[in-house]
Amino acid sequence: ARHGASVKDDGRRTGDFEIGDTIIHVTTMPGQLLVEKCKANVQAGLRPIIVTGSDRVILARTLMSDSGFEGRIDVFD
């Protein structure tokens, strides 16, 4: 499944793209809402991936580390 960027996120989506048990989150600004979505993905047995700009990869990894999910969520630019 794929969800348009202009579609309001009502909190029920698992991510921007769903491919089997892999959930892809695409963002230009990782933040706390993304952390919560990724944590929910992992707890549901899914495999979240974050795709962000190269200048935001360290931020995304830091957020995941601070949340205790370091190494369980892949981050790519």
Side-chain angles (χ1 to χ4, degrees):
R2 117 187 112 109
H3 306 283
S6 62
V7 177
K8 182 178 181 296
D9 185 357
D10 60 7
R12 289 182 280 168
R13 296 190 298 150
T14 56
D16 296 308
F17 299 93
E18 302 168 17
I19 304 169
D21 67 347
T22 300
I23 307 301
I24 301 171
H25 300 275
V26 181
T27 184
T28 58
M29 187 57 186
Q32 191 58 39
L33 179 60
L34 181 61
V35 169
E36 296 306 317
K37 284 185 175 190
C38 289
K39 286 170 63 173
N41 292 157
V42 170
Q43 291 166 346
L46 301 170
R47 299 174 42 205
I49 295 173
I50 297 170
V51 178
T52 191
S54 59
D55 60 332
R56 301 294 180 178
V57 169
I58 293 172
L59 172 60
R61 289 185 176 149
T62 300
L63 288 168
M64 294 307 132
S65 177
D66 290 349
S67 70
F69 280 78
E70 183 177 27
R72 300 178 74 187
I73 299 164
D74 290 318
V75 181
F76 298 102
D77 62 350

